[in-house]
């Protein structure tokens, strides 16, 4: 059953366009034609979830499957969440606007240790029991007959260690989902047709490689996990898929998202072997995408979406050896379209002039490097594979190519770290600033992020213990050192967040009760930023109530140090690399804690636990392991029939760089367009509409002119901002073009790319010498729907007659002055005469569908962009003054904008 979201998205709901599901690229497949109905439920607000590449790819893939439908849902912001509860409305999927309980299967992305509380929030808002036990039934599984949807999770944290969250999910999808999710869909389709009950269906799913069903496994006293029934695997395999760039082209949100750009994956997996890096261990082997596929996907995607920025994504973009050739080729092809390229944190040792050309230009993008540690010794311990010389060369190249500011990532609390290594971060920054000085140039400045290292499962450092007390001491040490450095901005990760990440991330099933209680006490993801004290208090109280405070104190104080391991043995192991089965190693040298069972040992990620132990000992000896994509095999255990092998594509020739975008400022034609804003598009803000017009012009391939300066902008000018929620039939926008275009062709191309709720009424050529519509704007005509009363029940109200409304209108017209106080941007209070700004006011004919409760008024008032304007709420204020009644504005419709007489 569809949810009436128009009743939910009232004016107090911020950014209502988040919840409309009407983006470019949304599928809207037929409900009745689908055998299996999915919802990809992202447990973050829309701006985060809708721009997540994995979310977009899986959404596109599932909707291309026959007889499968995939919708989307996101964590509602606190204002809508509160309204859902107060109105007893179930959380809904954004496209079909159906309650989540109408769907067969809900898939959550769990990519962060503390993100499970948001999942519980969404389940609660959807009126779905939180645990698999509460959802269990012996009846044939059929959502249409009252069964609950299947609830599963995927993502990095789910693949790494799902045990703290095991009781909440029917199953976990391990690894890449591109092939796994369609296989799950086929099993569900067959199970529904066969009338299987929930347990039988889950048993079928457990036979699919990559599907882990927690209820078929029990935790032993030592924390290890084993099957509790026959017919399920002892260890569950992580799935590996080949990247598919074409499926990255899809959703184009109307609201501005966190990653507001086209993102194309160029390489999946990383074999650098950084010992702290969980994604690098969990995504092996490395798989390059063919350069031709990348180039085609970007060119097609930019034209299909209208974005003005694209990003090439990988855990280590610089290890995609085709990067310079691909980047330069795309920049050359899109040279005249003001397109920017952004790259995530990249290898500073591979940053060169070619990459600088790719991301430089008129809109130079930010530049981020991650040295991680401040000394060469510590970088060797973590296997960063970066020398001081390479660090300097990369940063110096950036400075020489025009960057005055660079962002650097460092970590503290790494195994083997001393105070000298911590201070080395500050010394590295000083050294880089000194070496990059050049005459006539601004000094190089840095933005630093100092993160607290938290050990992760499936890495060589998974056995390490951190101490929040030490984190705080080392942060204080750095703050003192940074006081002496100019041109520096530093952000420290909060120690309490790191402590909770570590506590939960390496926990076992006992933490399920902690996660649930923390959610009950208000520990949602949003509260970490809005009220960290409340969130941290909720987690610590939940830990105490579960009787696990002793375990958390180990995180605060540190449990044991890897560096206590015999270093001479570490050197011996690093040089000879004997097997951990060697009696001398296992009996005499290896700490017994390295052989203890771990809560995630039953998950087969491909990485051999024996290799992790050996690599840990190599770390203690500061021994480097080379990148196996380009050098010899490190024998980690991944490569083979289950996971495949590294695919490293040789770099193609780099084309000659044809130069950066030069804005075409020639103005050959101005076309003025009258358009409307109807239906759902009324909930799209003015700033989002400005961005939409830019994308529409790009998609329509129309020759727009640009402004000059450092940030050239397309010459698109909307006459006046329309209030959020208001509809319109009379908006105006001017476009200035570099070459003449037939006005009918222009209108047709625009209309073909616009959503149906933005109709175009007419377009005409306007002389370039005349003022723009923004300058000529004088007045606006509004139709406003109003009623009397505040929050009273309708039965207790007496509604005015048309004659009374007319009397109030006449009384307003009879006034010479109606004062209104307003505050200017500078904070000055001004008194203005509203009556001077009102030109016409009339009662519209009665609308039978509105009944006696609401009345429609028409007014024409001043609407100039110098601030001389009359707003609908000001008209209500004037009527209230003469009627002595409280009035409410139900709806605003702008019928037309009036330009100066010579320009009409």
């Amino acid at each position: 059953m569809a949810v009436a979201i128009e009743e939910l998205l009232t004016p107090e709901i911020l950014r209502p366009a988040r919840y409309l599901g009407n983006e470019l690229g949304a599928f809207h497949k037929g409900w009745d034609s689908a055998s299996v109905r999915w919802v990809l439920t992202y447990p973050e607000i829309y701006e985060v979830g809708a721009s997540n590449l994995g979310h977009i790819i899986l959404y596109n893939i599932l909707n291309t499957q026959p007889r499968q439908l995939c919708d989307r849902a996101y964590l509602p912001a606190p204002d809508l969440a509160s309204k859902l509860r107060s109105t007893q409305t179930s959380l809904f999927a954004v496209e079909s606007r159906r309650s989540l309980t109408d769907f067969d299967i809900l898939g959550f992305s769990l990519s962060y240790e503390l993100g499970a509380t948001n999942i519980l929030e969404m389940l609660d808002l959807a009126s779905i029991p939180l645990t698999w036990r509460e959802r269990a039934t012996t009846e044939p599984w059929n959502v249409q007959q009252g069964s609950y949807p299947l609830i599963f999770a995927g993502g990095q944290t789910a693949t790494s260690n799902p045990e703290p969250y095991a009781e909440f999910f029917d199953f976990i999808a391990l690894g890449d989902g591109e092939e796994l999710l369609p296989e799950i869909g086929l099993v569900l389709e067959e199970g529904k047709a066969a009338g299987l009950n929930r347990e039988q269906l889950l048993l079928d799913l457990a036979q699919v490689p990559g599907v882990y069903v927690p209820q078929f496994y029990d935790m032993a006293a030592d924390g290890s996990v084993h099957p509790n029934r026959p017919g399920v695997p002892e260890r569950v395999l992580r799935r590996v898929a080949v990247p598919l760039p074409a499926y990255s082209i899809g959703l184009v949100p109307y609201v501005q998202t966190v990653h507001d750009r086209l993102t194309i994956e160029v390489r999946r997996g990383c074999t650098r072997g950084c010992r702290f890096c969980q994604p690098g261990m969990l995504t092996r082997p490395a798989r390059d995408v063919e350069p031709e596929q990348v180039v085609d996907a970007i060119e097609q995607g930019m034209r299909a979406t209208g974005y003005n920025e694209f990003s090439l994504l990988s855990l280590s973009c610089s290890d995609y050896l085709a990067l310079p050739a691909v980047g330069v080729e795309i920049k050359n092809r899109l040279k005249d379209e003001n397109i920017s390229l952004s790259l995530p944190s990249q290898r500073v040792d591979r940053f060169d002039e070619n990459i600088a050309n790719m991301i430089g230009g008129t809109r130079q993008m930010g530049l981020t490097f991650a040295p991680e540690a401040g000394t060469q010794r510590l970088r060797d311990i973590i296997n960063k594979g970066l020398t001081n010389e390479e660090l300097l060369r990369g940063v110096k190249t950036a400075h020489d190519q025009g960057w005055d500011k660079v962002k650097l990532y460092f970590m503290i609390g790494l195994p083997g770290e001393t105070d000298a290594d911590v201070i080395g971060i500050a010394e590295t920054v000083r050294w880089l600033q000194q070496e990059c000085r050049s005459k006539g140039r601004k000094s190089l400045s840095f933005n630093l992020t100092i993160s607290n290292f938290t050990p992760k499962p499936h890495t060589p450092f998974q056995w390490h213990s951190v101490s929040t007390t030490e984190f705080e001491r080392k942060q204080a040490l750095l703050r003192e050192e940074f006081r002496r450095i100019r041109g520096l901005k530093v952000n420290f990760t909060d120690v309490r967040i790191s402590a909770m990440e570590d506590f939960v991330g390496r926990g076992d099933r006992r933490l399920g009760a902690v996660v649930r209680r923390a959610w009950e006490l208000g520990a949602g993801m949003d509260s970490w930023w809005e009220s960290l004290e409340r969130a941290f208090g909720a987690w610590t109280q939940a830990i105490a109530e579960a009787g696990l405070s002793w375990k958390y104190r180990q995180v605060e104080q540190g449990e044991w140090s890897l560096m206590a391991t015999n270093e001479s043995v570490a050197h011996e192991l690093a040089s000879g690399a004997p097997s951990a089965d060697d009696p001398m190693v296992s009996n005499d040298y290896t700490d017994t804690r390295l052989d203890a069972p771990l809560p995630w040992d039953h998950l087969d990620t491909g990485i051999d636990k024996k290799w992790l132990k050996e690599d840990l000992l190599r770390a203690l000896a500061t021994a480097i392991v080379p990148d196996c994509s380009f050098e010899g095999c490190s024998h980690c255990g991944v490569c083979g029939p289950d996971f495949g092998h590294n695919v490293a594509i040789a770099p193609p020739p780099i084309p000659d760089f044809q130069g950066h975008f030069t804005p075409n400022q020639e103005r050959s034609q101005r076309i003025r367009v009258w358009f409307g804003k109807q239906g759902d598009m009324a909930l799209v803000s003015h700033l989002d509409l400005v961005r939409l017009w830019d994308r529409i012009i790009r998609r329509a391939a129309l020759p727009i002119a640009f402004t000059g300066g450092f940030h050239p902008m397309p010459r698109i000018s909307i006459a006046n901002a329309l209030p959020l929620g208001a509809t319109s039939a009379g908006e105006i926008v001017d476009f200035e073009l570099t070459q003449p275009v037939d006005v009918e062709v222009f209108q047709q191309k625009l209309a073909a790319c616009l959503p149906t709720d933005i109709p175009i009424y007419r377009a005409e050529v306007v002389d370039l010498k005349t003022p723009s519509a923004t300058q000529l704007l004088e007045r606006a005509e509004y139709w406003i729907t109003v009623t009397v009363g505040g929050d009273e029940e309708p039965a207790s109200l007496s509604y005015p007659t048309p004659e009374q409304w007319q009397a109030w209108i006449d009384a307003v017209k009879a006034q010479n002055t109606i004062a209104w106080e307003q505050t200017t941007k500078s904070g000055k209070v001004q008194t203005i005469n509203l009556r001077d700004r009102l030109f016409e006011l009339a009662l519209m004919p009665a609308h039978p569908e509105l009944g006696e409760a609401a009345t429609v008024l028409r007014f024409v008032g001043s609407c100039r962009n110098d601030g001389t304007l009359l707003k609908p709420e000001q008209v209500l204020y004037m009527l209230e003054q003469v009627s002595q009644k409280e009035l409410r504005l139900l709806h605003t419709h702008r019928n037309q904008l009036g330009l100066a007489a010579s320009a009409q």
Side-chain angles (χ1 to χ4, degrees):
M1 181 176 178
V3 172
I5 68 167
E6 63 276 3
E7 297 178 8
L8 294 171
L9 302 183
T10 47
E12 71 272 13
I13 301 298
L14 297 177
R15 305 195 77 179
R18 296 164 167 166
Y19 310 108
L20 298 178
N22 61 348
E23 310 97 323
L24 173 68
F27 275 86
H28 295 281
K29 293 181 75 172
W31 182 265
D32 295 331
S33 62
S35 299
V36 177
R37 303 177 180 102
W38 298 70
V39 182
L40 291 181
T41 36
Y42 203 93
E44 293 272 10
I45 61 171
Y46 175 88
E47 288 87 336
V48 178
S51 61
N52 179 271
L53 181 59
H55 181 73
I56 293 170
I57 289 173
L58 295 177
Y59 168 77
N60 286 334
I61 287 176
L62 285 172
N63 275 310
T64 59
Q65 307 303 307
R67 303 178 304 282
Q68 308 262 323
L69 171 154
C70 184
D71 208 328
R72 299 166 287 123
Y74 305 94
L75 178 72
D79 54 1
L80 183 61
S82 176
K83 190 152 195 176
L84 289 172
R85 286 195 169 99
S86 66
T87 60
Q88 298 184 334
T89 303
S90 177
L91 182 61
F92 54 90
V94 294
E95 291 175 28
S96 63
R97 300 178 180 178
R98 288 178 174 265
S99 300
L100 296 191
T101 49
D102 290 347
F103 292 83
D104 297 308
I105 181 167
L106 274 56
F108 287 91
S109 175
L110 184 57
S111 55
Y112 179 59
E113 292 88 347
L114 305 180
T117 52
N118 280 0
I119 293 176
L120 300 187
E121 174 76 356
M122 292 182 74
L123 289 174
D124 185 65
L125 287 170
S127 300
I128 295 174
L130 302 186
T131 67
W132 64 262
R133 287 183 179 85
E134 296 172 274
R135 299 189 294 268
T137 177
T138 58
E139 300 297 321
W141 178 72
N142 190 315
V143 170
Q144 283 69 44
Q145 295 179 9
S147 301
Y148 287 110
L150 292 177
I151 310 298
F152 81 98
Q156 179 178 311
T157 298
T159 298
S160 164
N161 178 23
E163 292 310 301
Y165 326 102
E167 69 175 87
F168 306 122
F169 298 107
D170 294 299
F171 68 91
I172 304 291
L174 302 178
D176 298 339
E178 288 94 331
E179 298 171 3
L180 176 56
L181 264 59
E183 292 174 18
I184 290 170
L186 291 175
V187 173
L188 293 187
E189 185 177 10
E190 293 172 0
K192 285 181 70 174
L196 301 183
N197 64 31
R198 199 179 192 93
E199 182 178 355
Q200 292 169 330
L201 187 58
L202 289 170
L203 188 58
D204 279 359
L205 285 171
Q207 313 312 308
V208 179
V211 174
Y212 167 49
V213 183
Q215 64 188 266
F216 297 154
Y217 296 76
D218 288 335
M219 184 183 78
D222 61 4
S224 60
V225 177
H226 307 278
N228 59 22
R229 62 173 298 155
V232 297
E234 283 279 341
R235 301 189 74 209
V236 186
L237 201 69
R238 169 179 66 93
R239 290 296 291 269
V240 174
V242 176
L244 301 169
Y247 287 103
S248 302
I249 305 169
L251 293 170
V252 184
Y254 291 122
V255 304
Q256 186 170 15
T257 58
V258 172
H259 304 294
D260 203 29
R261 62 183 77 97
L262 175 70
T263 302
I264 299 293
E265 188 177 21
V266 296
R267 189 176 202 250
R268 187 172 300 181
C270 179
T271 50
R272 279 280 181 171
C274 297
R275 291 171 176 133
F276 60 86
C277 181
Q278 185 184 73
M281 298 294 171
L282 283 182
T283 58
R284 295 184 177 203
R287 289 140 285 160
D288 284 357
V289 180
E290 287 288 346
E292 295 82 3
Q293 290 185 41
V294 175
V295 171
D296 290 345
I298 294 169
E299 187 171 20
Q300 293 170 16
M302 296 303 284
R303 301 195 190 287
T305 62
Y307 280 122
N308 63 1
E309 181 183 340
F310 70 96
S311 175
L312 301 179
L313 183 66
S314 171
L315 288 174
S316 179
C317 270
S318 303
D319 289 333
Y320 181 62
L321 300 184
L323 178 65
V326 166
V328 172
E329 175 65 22
I330 286 295
K331 290 284 280 193
N332 287 345
R333 289 194 190 186
L334 303 176
K335 177 177 175 290
D336 298 326
E337 300 185 35
N338 196 22
I339 298 297
S340 297
L341 164 63
S342 65
L343 295 174
S345 174
Q346 51 194 298
R347 296 284 308 191
V348 64
D349 50 316
R350 286 210 167 125
F351 184 78
D352 58 17
E353 188 174 339
N354 288 313
I355 295 179
N357 285 335
M358 290 163 47
I359 60 179
T362 52
R363 292 194 299 136
Q364 192 178 73
M365 307 306 291
L367 197 56
T368 304
F369 300 128
E372 307 293 4
T375 63
Q376 188 65 60
R377 184 190 72 89
L378 195 54
R379 285 199 292 271
D380 289 345
I381 286 178
I382 66 176
N383 203 47
K384 183 64 182 177
L386 175 68
T387 66
N388 286 329
E389 292 75 16
E390 290 168 334
L391 174 59
L392 175 60
R393 184 172 62 245
V395 173
K396 203 168 189 319
T397 298
H399 192 239
D400 292 343
Q401 293 297 315
W403 274 269
D404 292 322
K405 180 181 292 183
V406 173
K407 186 172 185 178
L408 299 179
Y409 282 114
F410 290 96
M411 282 192 292
I412 56 175
L414 290 161
E417 183 182 69
T418 65
D419 285 358
D421 297 307
V422 176
I423 294 172
I425 295 173
E427 292 175 343
T428 296
V429 172
R430 287 193 196 97
W431 172 64
L432 290 173
Q433 285 184 330
Q434 182 177 353
E435 293 295 323
C436 291
R437 284 179 183 152
S438 58
K439 191 174 181 179
R441 279 290 304 279
K442 183 180 178 182
S443 297
L444 183 62
S445 62
F446 291 100
N447 283 353
L448 301 190
T449 295
I450 311 295
S451 298
N452 308 311
F453 168 66
T454 53
K456 303 292 184 182
H458 306 288
T459 69
F461 291 163
Q462 66 183 354
W463 294 279
H464 183 55
S465 173
V466 297
S467 164
T468 57
T469 303
E470 276 294 284
F471 283 151
E472 291 169 348
R473 188 185 68 81
K474 290 173 179 178
Q475 286 186 355
L477 196 63
L478 278 175
R479 284 191 173 96
E480 183 62 28
E481 289 292 323
F482 289 150
R483 287 175 57 193
R484 306 181 184 95
I485 303 176
R486 301 180 68 179
L488 188 63
K489 183 178 180 182
V490 186
N491 175 56
F492 288 93
T493 303
D494 193 282
V495 168
R496 293 168 294 181
I497 296 178
S498 302
M500 287 303 166
E501 290 174 2
D502 185 34
F503 182 79
V504 177
R506 293 189 293 169
D508 56 33
R509 292 193 179 185
R510 289 175 295 173
L511 293 190
V514 174
V515 173
R516 181 168 186 165
R517 184 59 178 145
W519 164 72
E520 292 172 349
L521 294 169
M525 282 283 287
D526 58 297
S527 59
W528 278 111
W529 315 114
E530 295 178 4
S531 178
L532 193 147
E533 297 292 339
R534 184 182 57 145
F536 183 72
W539 278 101
T540 52
Q541 181 179 336
I543 290 168
E545 291 179 9
L548 294 173
S549 295
W550 62 271
K551 183 67 177 172
Y552 182 67
R553 279 196 293 273
Q554 291 177 342
V555 178
E556 291 182 318
Q557 299 164 11
E559 187 177 3
W560 67 295
S561 172
L562 290 174
M563 302 313 289
T565 306
N566 189 300
E567 292 194 4
S568 64
V569 176
H571 280 289
E572 182 182 339
L573 289 172
S575 58
S579 167
D581 294 331
D582 187 310
M584 181 166 60
V585 175
S586 60
N587 295 334
D588 296 339
Y589 298 105
T590 304
D591 193 302
T592 56
R593 280 170 284 199
L594 300 186
D595 295 316
L598 296 170
W600 50 89
D601 281 345
H602 60 296
L603 307 179
D604 185 1
T605 66
I607 300 286
D608 192 336
K609 188 176 180 181
K610 178 179 69 174
W611 181 85
L612 291 175
K613 289 191 285 187
E614 292 172 352
D615 200 43
L616 170 61
L617 295 173
R618 283 189 285 267
L620 302 182
T622 65
I624 293 292
V625 175
D627 187 337
C628 64
S629 288
F630 311 109
E631 300 186 46
C633 178
S634 62
H635 305 287
C636 69
V638 167
C639 289
D642 288 332
F643 301 99
H645 296 78
N646 291 330
V647 178
I649 296 174
I654 302 172
D656 292 334
F657 181 57
Q658 296 176 11
H660 293 298
F661 167 76
T662 302
N664 188 341
Q665 300 180 57
E666 181 180 351
R667 299 161 60 228
S668 298
Q669 185 183 44
R670 179 189 292 157
I671 294 181
R672 182 163 294 157
V673 172
W674 282 258
F675 69 96
K677 200 177 177 197
Q678 308 287 348
D680 286 345
M681 294 306 295
L683 298 176
V684 173
S685 73
H686 176 70
L687 291 178
D688 292 329
L689 182 65
V690 171
R691 194 164 46 254
L692 173 63
W693 278 119
D694 179 25
R695 291 175 182 168
I696 293 299
I697 286 291
R698 292 176 186 278
R699 289 175 55 212
L702 291 165
I704 196 72
F706 285 87
T707 62
F710 291 107
H711 299 284
M713 300 294 291
R715 289 190 173 274
I716 303 171
S717 177
I718 300 175
N720 186 255
L722 185 68
L724 184 66
T727 57
S728 175
E731 301 304 288
I732 302 173
V733 57
D734 284 347
F735 301 92
E736 295 186 358
L737 309 179
T738 60
Q739 59 190 55
V741 176
D742 180 81
V743 71
E744 290 187 9
V745 171
F746 183 89
Q747 183 170 339
Q748 290 169 2
K749 285 189 173 184
L750 275 191
C753 297
L754 282 166
T756 55
D757 281 339
I758 298 188
I760 293 181
Y761 303 120
R762 64 187 173 107
E764 62 184 44
V765 176
V766 177
D767 193 330
L768 283 166
K769 296 179 181 178
T770 62
S772 67
T774 302
Q775 296 169 306
L776 292 170
L777 187 61
E778 286 191 343
R779 59 182 60 202
E781 177 188 337
Y782 287 89
W783 298 350
I784 56 174
T785 306
V786 298
T787 190
V788 298
D791 299 326
E792 300 94 334
E793 291 293 327
S796 66
L797 293 173
S798 174
Y799 297 108
T801 64
E803 290 76 17
Q804 287 177 299
W805 279 109
Q806 188 60 56
W808 297 339
I809 290 170
D810 292 340
V812 168
K813 290 180 177 180
Q815 300 291 318
N816 292 321
T817 302
I818 301 179
W820 170 277
E821 286 192 348
Q822 66 179 20
T823 304
T824 65
K825 292 181 180 179
S826 62
K828 183 180 179 181
V829 177
Q830 288 182 336
T831 300
I832 61 173
N833 182 8
L834 295 179
R835 185 63 188 85
D836 285 345
R837 300 183 179 190
L838 178 65
F839 306 142
E840 299 177 30
L841 179 60
L843 183 66
M844 297 285 285
H847 287 251
E849 64 272 17
L850 294 177
E852 64 171 354
T855 298
V856 179
L857 306 176
R858 171 188 172 275
F859 79 88
V860 178
S862 176
C863 187
R864 289 162 42 189
N865 284 305
D866 63 359
T868 308
L869 69 162
L870 183 64
K871 300 177 182 179
E873 55 266 30
Q874 292 171 330
V875 173
L876 253 67
Y877 173 78
M878 289 191 282
L879 288 165
E880 287 177 332
Q881 297 304 298
V882 299
S883 68
Q884 297 300 303
K885 297 279 188 181
E886 182 180 359
L887 303 179
R888 277 194 300 136
L889 181 64
L890 300 179
H891 181 67
T892 298
H893 177 79
R894 187 151 73 185
N895 194 47
Q896 64 175 327
L897 293 173
L899 305 182
S902 61
Q904 292 289 343

